[in-house]
Amino acid sequence: MTTITDPPKQQFRLSMLIYDTRYRSATIQVVALIAFMLLAAWLIDNTARNMMLLGKTINFGFFGEPASYDINQRLLDYTSRDTHLRAALIGLLNTLVVAILGCATATAVGVLVGVLRLSHNWLIARLMTIYVEMFRNVPVLLWIVFIMAIMIETLPAPSAFRGDNATASMLLGDTVALTNRGIYIPEALFSRSLGDIHFFGASSLRFDVSLDLIAFLIVLGAGLWASHRIKRRADRMQEETGNRPTTWYLRVGVVLVPVVILLVALGFHLGYPELKGFNFSGGTHLRNSLIALWLALSLYTAAFIAEIVRAGILAISNGQTEAAAALGLRPGRVMRLVILPQALRVIVPPLISQYLNLTKNSSLAIAVGYMDITGTLGGITMNQTGKELECVLLLMLIYLIISLSISGVMNWYNESVKLKER
Amino acid sequence: MKKTVFWGVLTVAGLAAGAAAAGTMDDVKARGKLNCGVSTGLVGFSAPDANGEWGGFDVAVCRAVAAAVLGDPSAVEFVPTTGKTRFTALASGEIDVLARNTTWTFSRDVDLKFEFVGVNYYDGQGFMVPKSLGVSSAKELDGATVCIQTGTTTELNLADFFRANNISYEPVPIETNAEAQQQYLAGACDVYTTDASGLAATRATFENPGDHVILPEIISKEPLGPLVRHGDSEWGDVVRWTLNALIAAEEYGITSANIEELSKGTNNPEINRMLGTEGTLGEMLGLDKEWAKRAISAGGNYGEIFAKTIGENTPVGLARGLNAQWTDGGLMYSPPFR
Ligand SMILES: N[C@@H](CCC(=O)N[C@@H](CS)C(=O)NCC(=O)O)C(=O)O
């Protein structure tokens, strides 16, 4: 009879930390952590000591001081007497504006180009390839500066619109002016406006919200919801009876009619740009810097998105297309109903990175004098106050928050399109 | 990426500040070269010529300091800086002196921790407009689009001026003089505003300078001068007295033509002390006897430099005005060499 004995209890020896696979990975992690913390401590200590040598202290008090500089593009009211904090807020909004405009445009162009690049039409497919390679392989900074230079050098100055022998004229029935300072377009005005609600009184973070806009969004939202209900009902009837009732005029009607009634009630009209003095006034001014930055960022990022979309589509097996075709679906519907929904699962995760890239690349704004957060907080404020460390730390924190928010939203969207296994 | 930038910033802040500690003179001597911060290109003040050789009114200060300290006016590494990058460059130790039409202000001196060693050009902010605009006063500029260099005092003055006069404007922030020039000439802005000397220098490079006028209003005081880091007074003294030597040389009639002659000894003891034939001023600075002689020989005295780079016989065409010697009713006044 054999007895099974426990293996002899081995005594713990120090060398086991390295040679014993049970401990080795823990050892490596602990050592790495200690090294990392030492490095961090050294850097922080070194920074603190050298800041002291320079006679500088870390102090965020300057945020309450008047900024003393003007900003051309401001979505909220701002004068040079406002604080550095408000200047930073104005810059932040400008960053968000190009980021949102850029992401939307880049997605639209990117999806279109990505799909067209797979077209069976040789010419279209080649043209799209040229587009992608051209934008993908030239640094985005050059595109920004290039588009700005083209606008400045080729479009007429506002003075060219003046006088009897004007060399330039407005477009679309005198409603739009293309100048080298930007594009002036009509703006929405309300003669029986509901007014604004003011938030945060007179503080640096104050802002107004237009009640007209809120009313518009509520009515539009309600209309879309009603339209959706009508569609659902039609779907149900189709399933029950096999006949789909014609509902498109109802669906358009519930959206449009209330909106039009609201606009008439509010006295909606357009304000047109008009040449007054040195510049056009009235209307909305899309500054050349905004346009250059927006176009360059979107076209550049769209080239990457196009490749992501193409990869996503190619990842769906050809059998799917053939099966869909066998069911009698037309090519457009095959793409929209069968291929794209599946491709989205492949497309969305890398798309998030592209949105993040676009947002971070928007910090190149200063190249064309667009006053984003890097131009205000990380530019003029930092320069005039000499608070480099504070401004840069804050700037990084802000970009981090913006990026994490984008990731959060996109990850939530990704959850909703990914394969649902039942 | 975020993390790397963060540590990068901390490291740069840390290492750079380490280099910024006292002992600039020893560093310069050990290096054998003076790192001098200049503009990215402003004709007459600091701009590279066709051969890449830097020259100009501010460059002359760098060369004089290099001649005094290193004995060679060409032992200078010129570092182009923009309005925005210049102070970081100086604070971080990347440059030893900044000579880039920089205005001496309270906050730069006290809060940003720099030491202005003097004034080499008394200036003020002006406005330039195309003649065709038909404007004769800055007060008529309501609603105009104004090109302005960011990171400058002129950016702040501009905001104050328009506010005080209750008129509106559209600022177009721009990084360098070259970009401002491009936008202004293309009509993307109606007005270009900066130091009046800078306007004259910029206009001098236009194809048709006559088509542009500088408006009569001068809206600020812009005393421009070289500066060094706070906290290294020895180095500050060297740069300060080199500049003073150039100014005093004009006052006492020491020129590049007669300096050899005068340094054999004169019966004006002040000249003798400056040129090192009497006393030990050079040693007190930590330099040798002939430091000032070399500084003056590098490009001539203050008046000669002025005439050669930005004076009335150059394309820039600036009159001495406030920058004449005090003996001629100007503000140029060197403390005594004693
Ligand atoms: N004196 C002002 C303005 C200095 C400034 O930036 N001047 C311009 C125009 S006169 C310049 O030197 N530009 C040259 C460049 O762009 O590098 C200051 O110190 O803030």
Side-chain angles (χ1 to χ4, degrees):
Chain A
M1 194 178 139
T2 48
T3 46
I4 302 169
T5 49
D6 284 341
K9 267 245 163 78
Q10 238 189 3
Q11 229 185 331
F12 178 78
R13 273 170 293 113
L14 220 50
S15 62
M16 285 166 69
L17 282 179
I18 297 175
Y19 297 116
D20 192 319
T21 46
R22 281 171 301 172
Y23 302 120
R24 190 188 292 149
S25 77
T27 316
I28 293 174
Q29 289 183 45
V30 168
V31 169
L33 185 69
I34 291 175
F36 177 75
M37 287 190 341
L38 279 178
L39 183 71
W42 177 76
L43 280 170
I44 291 171
D45 172 67
N46 199 31
T47 310
R49 208 151 8 135
N50 284 307
M51 294 270 295
M52 212 168 67
L53 264 181
L54 275 179
K56 290 192 171 184
T57 49
I58 295 208
N59 178 354
F60 287 91
F62 66 95
F63 265 122
E65 301 295 322
S68 302
Y69 58 89
D70 282 305
I71 301 176
N72 48 13
Q73 176 176 310
R74 10 173 224 265
L75 297 188
L76 302 178
D77 68 297
Y78 168 88
T79 72
S80 58
R81 290 291 90 199
D82 275 309
T83 60
H84 282 294
L85 180 61
R86 190 159 182 83
L89 177 67
I90 303 283
L92 174 61
L93 290 177
N94 287 345
T95 293
L96 293 179
V97 165
V98 277
I100 292 169
L101 287 177
C103 287
T105 315
T107 312
V109 176
V111 170
L112 190 72
V113 172
V115 171
L116 288 184
R117 207 178 160 188
L118 293 171
S119 160
H120 295 299
N121 183 323
W122 185 88
L123 185 67
I124 291 186
R126 276 322 95 110
L127 280 178
M128 294 305 135
T129 308
I130 292 177
Y131 166 84
V132 167
E133 295 307 338
M134 219 172 73
F135 276 90
R136 208 165 56 146
N137 293 309
V138 174
V140 64
L141 179 62
L142 293 189
W143 283 116
I144 297 174
V145 174
F146 179 67
I147 295 179
M148 182 74 167
I150 290 197
M151 290 194 67
I152 288 178
E153 297 294 344
T154 60
L155 292 175
S159 55
F161 291 78
R162 196 179 305 128
D164 295 330
N165 42 11
T167 51
S169 57
M170 294 174 67
L171 307 176
L172 303 178
D174 276 0
T175 58
V176 173
L178 299 183
T179 78
N180 63 357
R181 294 177 192 174
I183 299 177
Y184 296 81
I185 55 171
E187 63 181 336
L189 295 174
F190 299 97
S191 50
R192 289 181 291 276
S193 170
L194 299 173
D196 297 331
I197 346 180
H198 310 283
F199 289 92
F200 296 133
S203 78
S204 288
L205 296 177
R206 69 184 181 277
F207 65 93
D208 297 345
V209 174
S210 156
L211 283 174
D212 303 322
L213 182 68
I214 294 186
F216 179 81
L217 291 179
I218 289 177
V219 171
L220 185 69
L224 290 174
W225 180 76
S227 159
H228 184 69
R229 291 297 298 253
I230 294 173
K231 172 178 179 283
R232 290 255 298 273
R233 217 193 61 194
D235 287 349
R236 225 175 28 240
M237 283 173 73
Q238 185 178 16
E239 244 158 59
E240 281 167 9
T241 66
N243 290 327
R244 191 179 180 86
T246 319
T247 54
W248 66 265
Y249 52 88
L250 258 183
R251 292 188 61 191
V252 173
V254 289
V255 177
L256 278 191
V257 173
V259 166
V260 169
I261 292 176
L262 177 78
L263 289 181
V264 171
L266 292 177
F268 171 83
H269 60 278
L270 288 176
Y272 297 108
E274 224 181 312
L275 189 59
K276 275 209 190 106
F278 295 98
N279 275 312
F280 282 90
S281 60
T284 300
H285 180 189
L286 303 174
R287 285 180 179 71
N288 49 9
S289 51
L290 170 67
I291 294 174
L293 191 64
W294 170 19
L295 269 186
L297 286 177
S298 345
L299 293 180
Y300 176 79
T301 312
F304 290 89
I305 294 183
E307 285 301 90
I308 293 173
V309 168
R310 188 169 70 110
I313 293 173
L314 289 179
I316 308 305
S317 101
N318 217 12
Q320 297 272 335
T321 317
E322 284 161 3
L327 287 177
L329 290 181
R330 273 172 271 132
R333 291 201 158 177
V334 173
M335 181 56 82
R336 202 157 46 82
L337 298 174
V338 179
I339 309 295
L340 272 185
Q342 300 186 71
L344 274 182
R345 298 204 303 270
V346 184
I347 292 173
V348 171
L351 192 64
I352 303 178
S353 313
Q354 291 307 325
Y355 287 173
L356 297 181
N357 278 347
L358 189 145
T359 307
K360 286 180 291 175
N361 284 344
S362 75
S363 61
L364 293 169
I366 189 60
V368 286
Y370 180 78
M371 277 301 173
D372 70 336
I373 183 86
T374 313
T376 56
L377 175 64
I380 307 181
T381 292
M382 176 161 112
N383 200 258
Q384 303 287 5
T385 59
K387 300 282 180 207
E388 291 93 356
L389 200 65
E390 290 90 333
C391 288
V392 170
L393 284 176
L394 213 75
L395 208 55
M396 288 195 301
L397 187 70
I398 289 174
Y399 276 109
L400 192 69
I401 292 174
I402 299 179
S403 295
L404 288 179
S405 312
I406 296 177
S407 299
V409 170
M410 291 301 290
N411 280 332
W412 167 80
Y413 177 68
N414 193 32
E415 278 308 298
S416 72
V417 296
K418 85 174 184 201
L419 194 62
K420 304 224 173 32
E421 296 186 19
R422 283 180 255 257
Chain B
M1 153 71 199
K2 282 277 127 64
K3 268 226 181 84
T4 0
V5 172
F6 176 76
W7 296 121
V9 166
L10 286 188
T11 330
V12 169
L15 297 182
T24 312
M25 176 116 100
D26 295 334
D27 290 348
V28 172
K29 281 184 175 160
R31 205 187 300 130
K33 259 197 186 259
L34 175 75
N35 291 339
C36 196
V38 290
S39 78
T40 56
L42 183 65
V43 169
F45 283 86
S46 45
D49 66 12
N51 305 321
E53 191 79 11
W54 284 84
F57 188 69
D58 281 337
V59 164
V61 174
C62 305
R63 295 211 185 277
V65 173
V69 177
L70 300 169
D72 177 5
S74 61
V76 189
E77 180 80 33
F78 291 99
V79 180
T81 60
T82 68
K84 268 175 67 183
T85 59
R86 56 183 157 174
F87 298 125
T88 328
L90 182 58
S92 67
E94 188 188 342
I95 54 179
D96 307 308
V97 194
L98 177 64
R100 182 202 177 279
N101 23 44
T102 298
T103 307
W104 186 348
T105 69
F106 183 98
S107 61
R108 286 174 180 177
D109 196 331
V110 178
D111 194 31
L112 298 193
K113 309 283 180 207
F114 294 125
E115 191 171 326
F116 283 84
V117 301
V119 175
N120 67 341
Y121 193 96
Y122 287 94
D123 206 347
Q125 181 175 350
F127 295 91
M128 175 162 66
V129 293
K131 241 187 202 142
S132 57
L133 218 51
V135 171
S136 59
S137 154
K139 304 230 165 86
E140 294 165 23
L141 291 176
D142 192 9
T145 301
V146 184
C147 275
I148 176 80
Q149 258 185 277
T150 67
T152 63
T153 50
T154 51
E155 183 172 43
L156 308 180
N157 300 330
L158 179 69
D160 290 347
F161 175 79
F162 276 82
R163 240 181 75 81
N165 287 291
N166 213 355
I167 48 181
S168 65
Y169 72 107
E170 156 101 11
V172 177
I174 285 166
E175 195 102 349
T176 69
N177 201 47
E179 289 166 48
Q181 188 169 327
Q182 184 209 356
Q183 295 227 15
Y184 171 77
L185 286 178
C189 25
D190 300 303
V191 190
Y192 181 32
T193 179
T194 182
D195 301 335
S197 63
L199 290 180
T202 307
R203 186 172 62 166
T205 63
F206 289 177
E207 226 166 278
N208 299 311
D211 292 349
H212 302 268
V213 283
I214 293 174
L215 298 179
E217 282 91 348
I218 294 292
I219 63 167
S220 68
K221 290 188 287 189
E222 307 287 334
L224 312 178
L227 55 153
V228 296
R229 276 180 300 278
H230 204 99
D232 187 353
S233 306
E234 284 74 28
W235 178 243
D237 287 342
V238 167
V239 184
R240 173 177 303 107
W241 286 95
T242 305
L243 176 63
N244 283 336
L246 299 180
I247 296 172
E250 185 187 19
E251 182 183 344
Y252 300 127
I254 309 173
T255 67
S256 43
N258 67 11
I259 191 163
E260 282 305 330
E261 187 67 32
L262 295 179
S263 53
K264 293 197 184 105
T266 67
N267 42 27
N268 180 339
E270 180 127 10
I271 296 182
N272 294 349
R273 281 192 297 270
M274 269 173 76
L275 299 184
T277 45
E278 219 181 290
T280 55
L281 296 189
E283 278 162 46
M284 295 177 200
L285 274 180
L287 298 171
D288 60 355
K289 273 177 176 315
E290 301 204 313
W291 67 281
K293 180 184 167 194
R294 285 194 305 269
I296 299 165
S297 309
N301 64 35
Y302 179 83
E304 289 176 272
I305 295 172
F306 195 107
K308 250 189 299 194
T309 55
I310 54 177
E312 299 197 86
N313 294 327
T314 66
V316 181
L318 291 169
R320 283 297 286 268
L322 285 179
N323 298 296
Q325 288 288 333
W326 65 287
T327 43
D328 298 333
L331 293 176
M332 281 299 148
Y333 184 109
S334 160
F337 279 73
R338 174 171 296 290

